[in-house]
Amino acid sequence: MERRSMENVDTIIGLNVNLKGNLKNKGSIQVNGSVEGEVRCDESVNVGETAVIKGPVVAKVIEVSGTIKGLVEATEKLEINPTGKVIGDINAKTLIIKQGAVFVGKS
């Protein structure tokens, strides 16, 4: 996934934010804090290095540099970067796991 400027992100979960509940958005989401619940959007979800998501993540494109514990479903592409961890099952049209990334589950 190409690096997107913050101008293209509709929703940002900041570094010091701890969100409990479901997050749904039609546009893009940048997560830098923690989310306990479902994250779902029509466009892209970028999970920053400091982010921890406990729950399912569903989007067109998902880029993981932090941690996801739960089902991950990308209708187009899932990319797990070297600092990224996915603990849970994956369903993705295109899957890219970079060297150093951690994936524990089924795809």
Side-chain angles (χ1 to χ4, degrees):
M1 174 173 164
E2 68 277 353
R3 298 282 175 209
R4 297 175 183 253
S5 72
M6 294 305 261
E7 295 170 5
N8 295 329
V9 176
D10 293 327
T11 302
I12 299 171
I13 304 301
L15 176 65
N16 297 314
V17 174
N18 296 309
L19 176 68
K20 290 187 179 182
N22 296 332
L23 177 60
K24 294 183 181 178
N25 189 21
K26 291 189 183 286
S28 297
I29 299 171
Q30 170 72 41
V31 180
N32 296 321
S34 69
V35 177
E36 192 172 327
E38 180 182 37
V39 176
R40 179 180 292 268
C41 76
D42 295 341
E43 295 300 322
S44 66
V45 173
N46 188 316
V47 181
E49 288 186 21
T50 57
V52 177
I53 299 174
K54 294 178 183 176
V57 179
V58 180
K60 186 186 294 183
V61 176
I62 302 169
E63 182 176 353
V64 183
S65 297
T67 302
I68 298 175
K69 295 179 181 178
L71 172 70
V72 179
E73 187 172 337
T75 57
E76 283 189 12
K77 183 170 87 171
L78 169 61
E79 185 171 337
I80 307 173
N81 291 320
T83 58
K85 295 179 187 174
V86 174
I87 301 165
D89 294 344
I90 289 174
N91 183 6
K93 184 175 180 181
T94 302
L95 174 61
I96 300 168
I97 301 176
K98 296 188 177 175
Q99 184 174 351
V102 175
F103 167 53
V104 179
K106 292 186 250 178
S107 68

